[in-house]
Amino acid sequence: MSDLQSPASTGTAGKASDDAPVKATAGGDAPSGPAKTGRSFLPESTLLRHLLVLAACAVLAVAVLELTSPFQNSQLAQLTYYAIAAGGLTVLTGMNGQISLGHGALMAAGAYTTALLLDADEPLPLPVILLAAVVVATAIGALVGVAAARLHGPYLAGATLALAVGLPGLAIYFHDIFGGEQGMRVRAPQAPEWFEGFIDAVSGNSASSTKWLAYVGTICLLITYFFLANLIRSRVGRTWRAVRDQEVAAELAGINLGAWRVLAFVVSAAAAGLAGGVLAIVVRLAAPSGFTIVLSLALLTAIVIGGLGSLVGALIGSALLVFLPPFVTNLGGDFGLNQTEAAQLAPFVYGVVLIVVMIFVPAGFVGTIRLRWMTRKAKRAMAQAQAAGASRG
Amino acid sequence: MTALAAATVASTVAACGGSDDSGGGTGAGGGGGENEASDTGVTETSITLGSHYPLTGVAAPGYSEIPTGVQAYFECLNQEGGVYDREIEFIYRDDAYNPTQTSQVTNELVLEDEIFAMMSGLGTPTHSAVVDFLNDEGVPDLFVSSGSLMWGDDPETYPMSFGWQTDYMSEGKIIGEYIAENFPDAQVGLFLQDDDFGEDGEAGIRQYIDDQIVAAERYTPGNTNVGPQIAALQAAGADFVVGFNVPSYTALSQLTALQLGYDPQWFYSNVGSDPTLVGGLLNRFSEGAVSDASLLDGALTTGYLPTVDMTDNPWITEFQRIWDECGGEGELTNYRVYGMAQAYTMTQALQAAGQNPTREGLVEAVETAGADWEGPVFAPFRYSEDSHMGTSGMTIERIVGNGSEEVQPVRITDIGDAPIEEFDGEQATPPANAIPDEESVVD
C-alpha cells in the first residue's frame, strides 16, 4: 500500500520526492508516533497514545485560553471553527485525494441547523444541538459523497463548487424559514454555572461569554481531532491512502473504491457541520454572505499552506487565516498607511504568502518539515546500513 | 458653550506650550470638575470610538469613503480642542460586508481596542451580526449606517442601539404619498432588494398606493443579472418604477432597461441614487458605452442631507472647508458628507453626555436631548426613551446632471401608520467651524 511508497520506508528520498502526490501529502503519511526503532515513552497502542496527546492538548488549551486576553480568546474561538472544518477537509483531500470546493456550504448546513434549534423557545442542550448540526451536514455530505464518488479531480471540484454556490441560495429562496439575505441571528448560549466555578478555580479570571464560546469551540476541536487522528492511523486511514495512491491496486486488493470515497466525504462533512455549528454561536449569525465560495477556498488554502493530510497542518493553516489579516492590517497602520489602505494590504499579503509557500515549501509547513525529517532519518539509516555492510564485508 | 470655549482656549495654550499631556488636567472650564478616565475608552485626554465598514470587496465603492469623512471631521474637531478637551480617536476596520468578518472586527474593537462606543457601523446584515454582542457588552451603538427599523423601533430589546438616517419605511411612505398625489394614474412597479431594505420600503409605499402597484420584483444582492426582474416589470405594464436598491443595482437596472427598450419614470430611494457613484458604475459595467449618469437624468429620488452639488448650502461650504483642511486625498463626495454629518451628531451626543461621560450617560443623553439637536439633516430626530429612530423626514428631488433639484420640500413622518406632515421648521445654519455646542444633560 501507500506506505511502501513513502520516503521513510523506501529509503530513497530523492526518487520519492519526484512523485508529486506523495510529496504533497507527506505530512499526513508520516506516522503520528515515533518510529518503532526509536526509543519512546509513549505507549504502542494508537488509541492510548492519542488519548495521552488529547489530555496534554486539553491542559495546554486551558493554559492558552487563560493566559490570553479576551480578544485573543475570541480569535481562538474563530480559529476553532476554521480548524475543525479544515481538519475534516484535510482528511478528504490529503488522505483520500478528493478536492472539495463546497465545504463552506456544508458549514452553512451546520450553522443553520444550530441557528434554527437555538431559536426555539426552550432550546435543547448545546451538545445535542451541535450533534444535530453534525447529523444534518453528514446527511448532505452522504448525498453529495455518492455523486462525488464517481467524479475525480476537476470534475469533483466543479460539482462541489456548485454546492458552495447553490446551497446558500436555498436560504434566500426559503426566506421565511432561514431569514433570507439577512440570515438568522443566533442567541449565543449562556455559560452554565459550573463553568464559572471551573474558571475561577483554574485561573481566577472572570468567565465572560467570549471565553465560554472559546471553550466550547476548543472542546469541539479537541474531540474532532481526536476522532480524525484515530481514523487516519487506523485501517480506515490506510485504506483511504490506498484508494488515493493506487486505485487499481486497491481495487485488486478487494477495496470498494466508491464506498470508501463516500465514507471519506461523509466524515469530512460531519466535521464541517460541527464547524458550522460552532461558527454560528461564535459569530452569532447564520447568513448566506458568511458562507460564500470565499470560505470554501479559504479552507482549501489553509490545508494546502499547512500541509495536506496533516491535522497539525490544518491547525496552522487555520491560524494563518485568523491571525494574519489583523496582524498585517495593524502593521500597515504602524507604517503610516491609512486604515483603508491597511485593510487592502491584508488580502495582498495573504496572496503573497500563498505564492511563497507554493514555491518554497510545496508540501506545506508541516509536510515540508516532516519530509526533511524523514529524509534525514532515511539517510542516517542508509549510512548505518552501509557501515554495517562495510564492516561485514 | 463656556465650558467648550474655555476648554478650547486651554488646549490652545497647552499646545502653544509644546506640552500635549498637560491639556487634560487643566482643560476643565466652566463646570469646574476635572477630566477623569470615566469609562472604558475614555481617558483624561481622549475618547476612542470604533466602527466597521466595507473597505474592500463589492460594497466598498462609495461606502469606503464614509469613514474618511468621519475622520476628517474629527481631525478638525480635535484641532479646535475636541470635546471637553479630549481628542476623539476614531478606529475603523474592514469587514468586507461579510457578517462573519463584522463579528471578528467588532470583537477586536470592543475587546482589544476598548472603544467607548461604536459609531456608524455600516450595513443591515453586517451590523445585525453584532447588535446582540454590543448590547450584551453594554457598548453604545450609535447611529448605525442603515435605515432598517431594527436599530430604533425596539429600544427595550436593544437599549444601546440608535438609528440615524431616515428609516426605509418612512421613506416608502413619503414616496407613496407623493406618487398618489402627483401620479395618480401611474402603473407602479417596485424593484426591491430582497431584505429588510426592500421589505420596509414596500410596506411604507403600499400604505398609500397599494392599488396602483402592478408588480413587485425582488433581486438578491450578489446576483448581477436583473434581466428577468426588469422584463417582468415591463411586461406588467409598469410605467413608473420605484427602486429600493443599492447603487450598483441602480446602474444594472438602467443598463438592463436600456437593452430592453424600456423607459418608465424612475424613482430611486436615497440609498441607490448617488449620481456620481452610479455614473462611475455605469461606465464600468458598460465598459465605457455609457460614460456618465445621464441615464439617470429626470429620475426622482429622496433626500435628507444636503449634497455636494448644493455649493451654496452653508453646511456644504463648511464640510468642503473641513475636507480641504483635514481630509485626505480625493474630492468631497456625498458619502464623505454623510460621514461628517454623522460625526457632527456624534459630537453633539458626546457633549450632551457631560464632562466625564459614561456609556449609560451617552445613551441617556441621546434619549433626553437628541430630539432637539439641529444639524445638517433636514428633519428632526425622533430620539426618546421609547424610540431610537433617527431623522424623520425627506425631500423629493429630481436628478439633473450630477446634482438634483427639489420638487417637494421636507415632509416628516414616523413608522407604522403615523401621518405624514409638512415640516415647518427651517434648516439650521452651521455654528462656527461647524462644531456644535450642546450643554450637558447628564449629571
Side-chain angles (χ1 to χ4, degrees):
Chain A
M1 290 213 258
S2 78
D3 280 354
L4 296 174
Q5 283 198 327
S6 80
S9 31
T10 55
T12 48
K15 182 181 149 233
S17 62
D18 292 337
D19 200 347
V22 173
K23 182 174 180 176
T25 55
D29 293 349
S32 67
K36 291 204 175 75
T37 48
R39 239 188 319 172
S40 165
F41 301 105
L42 288 170
E44 288 280 316
S45 151
T46 308
L47 188 64
L48 271 182
R49 201 166 61 228
H50 285 167
L51 270 175
L52 270 183
V53 174
L54 177 69
C57 286
V59 173
L60 187 72
V62 171
V64 168
L65 284 170
E66 290 312 312
L67 289 174
T68 49
S69 70
F71 169 60
Q72 285 162 331
N73 276 187
S74 81
Q75 283 188 310
L76 290 168
Q78 253 180 66
L79 170 63
T80 59
Y81 61 72
Y82 280 126
I84 294 169
L89 187 60
T90 208
V91 163
L92 181 72
T93 307
M95 292 288 113
N96 201 227
Q98 306 187 64
I99 292 176
S100 166
L101 295 177
H103 264 52
L106 294 167
M107 284 178 77
Y112 273 99
T113 308
T114 308
L116 279 171
L117 290 175
L118 277 172
D119 205 28
D121 292 331
E122 292 272 318
L124 297 163
L126 190 58
V128 178
I129 291 179
L130 290 175
L131 206 62
V134 171
V135 170
V136 171
T138 308
I140 296 177
L143 274 177
V144 180
V146 170
R150 300 172 177 278
L151 300 172
H152 282 274
Y155 302 101
L156 179 60
T160 48
L161 178 69
L163 186 71
V165 174
L167 206 63
L170 285 180
I172 294 167
Y173 189 79
F174 296 104
H175 183 276
D176 295 337
I177 308 171
F178 298 120
E181 183 61 31
Q182 270 166 238
M184 306 181 64
R185 264 173 300 148
V186 178
R187 269 242 159 239
Q190 296 298 313
E193 274 171 27
W194 61 260
F195 177 70
E196 283 170 28
F198 169 74
I199 294 301
D200 194 49
V202 168
S203 66
N205 291 341
S206 63
S208 64
S209 66
T210 311
K211 196 179 273 289
W212 165 240
L213 295 177
Y215 269 93
V216 170
T218 307
I219 293 168
C220 292
L221 175 68
L222 289 176
I223 294 175
T224 310
Y225 273 31
F226 175 69
F227 274 122
L228 291 180
N230 281 324
L231 266 185
I232 289 174
R233 299 296 151 213
S234 68
R235 191 174 68 89
V236 178
R238 284 195 300 278
T239 315
W240 278 338
R241 286 197 288 271
V243 172
R244 175 194 71 197
D245 290 335
Q246 294 292 349
E247 243 178 56
V248 177
E251 211 162 11
L252 282 173
I255 295 173
N256 181 345
L257 297 183
W260 284 94
R261 287 206 178 105
V262 174
L263 181 68
F265 209 97
V266 166
V267 166
S268 90
L274 182 61
V278 173
L279 182 145
I281 57 171
V282 169
V283 176
R284 302 177 189 228
L285 183 83
S289 43
F291 303 99
T292 55
I293 182 69
V294 177
L295 175 62
S296 302
L297 292 177
L299 292 175
L300 201 62
T301 333
I303 61 167
V304 168
I305 289 182
L308 273 184
S310 151
L311 290 177
V312 178
L315 192 65
I316 293 175
S318 307
L320 215 58
L321 283 185
V322 174
F323 295 107
L324 190 68
F327 174 75
V328 171
T329 307
N330 292 335
L331 203 68
D334 293 345
F335 277 103
L337 296 177
N338 72 35
Q339 293 175 71
T340 309
E341 290 164 345
Q344 288 163 345
L345 193 64
F348 170 74
V349 170
Y350 191 74
V352 170
V353 167
L354 191 59
I355 292 169
V356 168
V357 167
M358 288 297 98
I359 293 175
F360 295 104
V361 274
F365 291 133
V366 173
T368 303
I369 291 170
R370 279 191 171 166
L371 206 60
R372 290 255 165 84
W373 179 67
M374 286 188 292
T375 312
R376 195 177 312 152
K377 214 174 66 174
K379 273 190 187 147
R380 207 185 310 139
M382 243 159 64
Q384 271 172 3
Q386 274 170 0
S391 67
R392 227 178 290 146
Chain B
M1 39 194 79
T2 47
L4 188 74
T8 310
V9 171
S11 80
T12 317
V13 171
C16 290
S19 159
D20 289 339
D21 43 8
S22 69
T26 61
E34 296 203 341
N35 276 0
E36 290 162 14
S38 48
D39 207 332
T40 313
V42 181
T43 70
E44 287 175 15
T45 53
S46 71
I47 296 177
T48 310
L49 304 174
S51 192
H52 63 86
Y53 299 94
L55 304 178
T56 60
V58 282
Y63 293 154
S64 64
E65 293 172 3
I66 294 175
T68 61
V70 178
Q71 188 88 300
Y73 182 87
F74 284 145
E75 184 75 38
C76 270
L77 176 72
N78 288 341
Q79 286 177 12
E80 305 280 339
V83 175
Y84 284 100
D85 207 21
R86 283 191 185 88
E87 287 208 348
I88 310 294
E89 282 177 26
F90 180 62
I91 306 173
Y92 60 97
R93 298 194 178 276
D94 178 34
D95 65 11
Y97 215 69
N98 172 345
T100 314
Q101 238 165 296
T102 313
S103 149
Q104 292 162 7
V105 297
T106 303
N107 276 331
E108 192 169 4
L109 288 167
V110 172
L111 302 173
E112 178 88 343
D113 303 324
E114 302 202 322
I115 54 170
F116 175 56
M118 175 73 97
M119 165 195 166
S120 166
L122 191 143
T124 307
T126 45
H127 199 75
S128 63
V130 297
V131 68
D132 281 322
F133 175 69
L134 292 172
N135 278 274
D136 287 351
E137 297 277 323
V139 181
D141 176 24
L142 301 191
F143 316 140
V144 182
S145 300
S146 142
S148 167
L149 304 182
M150 210 189 305
W151 332 117
D153 70 339
D154 189 6
E156 263 180 43
T157 314
Y158 297 124
M160 309 307 275
S161 297
F162 290 83
W164 184 77
Q165 67 198 59
T166 314
D167 64 277
Y168 302 135
M169 181 183 276
S170 301
E171 182 173 13
K173 286 169 66 180
I174 292 172
I175 295 172
E177 189 207 39
Y178 174 78
I179 295 172
E181 285 177 5
N182 297 283
F183 297 88
D185 303 323
Q187 310 253 44
V188 179
L190 302 180
F191 180 59
L192 307 165
Q193 180 157 306
D194 198 5
D195 58 15
D196 268 8
F197 176 26
E199 246 167 61
D200 294 351
E202 182 182 10
I205 207 167
R206 279 195 189 272
Q207 285 188 25
Y208 289 83
I209 53 162
D210 198 22
D211 49 345
Q212 273 181 262
I213 293 173
V214 293
E217 290 297 317
R218 285 158 232 283
Y219 73 87
T220 303
N223 183 355
T224 53
N225 179 12
V226 295
Q229 287 91 337
I230 302 296
L233 291 171
Q234 188 179 25
D239 54 15
F240 193 114
V241 175
V242 184
F244 280 88
N245 55 266
V246 294
S248 44
Y249 284 85
T250 303
L252 287 171
S253 61
Q254 286 294 322
L255 288 176
T256 311
L258 195 66
Q259 280 168 353
L260 295 171
Y262 179 38
D263 188 26
Q265 168 67 47
W266 294 93
F267 194 131
Y268 287 104
S269 76
N270 181 277
V271 168
S273 69
D274 184 65
T276 318
L277 179 65
V278 172
L281 291 169
L282 280 170
N283 190 2
R284 219 169 70 202
F285 292 165
S286 68
E287 290 169 355
V290 178
S291 61
D292 55 21
S294 55
L295 279 178
L296 279 186
D297 246 13
L300 295 162
T301 185
T302 51
Y304 56 89
L305 261 184
T307 49
V308 284
D309 56 291
M310 304 177 185
T311 42
D312 45 3
N313 181 302
W315 287 97
I316 295 297
T317 322
E318 278 296 319
F319 286 158
Q320 183 68 56
R321 176 189 64 78
I322 289 173
W323 182 250
D324 292 341
E325 285 175 16
C326 307
E329 285 169 33
E331 296 287 305
L332 181 70
T333 62
N334 287 335
Y335 292 97
R336 291 184 170 129
V337 167
Y338 179 94
M340 287 187 195
Q342 282 187 321
Y344 183 90
T345 316
M346 189 70 209
T347 310
Q348 288 175 311
L350 288 172
Q351 288 173 347
Q355 184 180 357
N356 287 309
T358 58
R359 285 172 164 175
E360 292 74 29
L362 183 63
V363 168
E364 191 193 325
V366 185
E367 284 181 345
T368 5
D372 300 324
W373 292 338
E374 295 185 322
V377 288
F378 293 158
F381 295 111
R382 285 165 280 179
Y383 302 131
S384 71
E385 275 182 33
D386 305 321
S387 169
H388 286 183
M389 304 297 297
T391 173
S392 55
M394 293 191 130
T395 57
I396 307 271
E397 295 164 9
R398 176 177 287 108
I399 296 174
V400 182
N402 271 345
S404 53
E405 57 190 32
E406 187 178 288
V407 297
Q408 176 182 291
V410 181
R411 293 176 72 76
I412 56 175
T413 186
D414 201 349
I415 53 175
D417 48 12
I420 299 177
E421 292 160 13
E422 203 156 312
F423 177 55
D424 50 10
E426 280 186 19
Q427 203 197 5
T429 47
N433 292 331
I435 293 173
D437 186 9
E438 300 294 333
E439 283 188 62
S440 166
V441 295
V442 178
D443 304 323

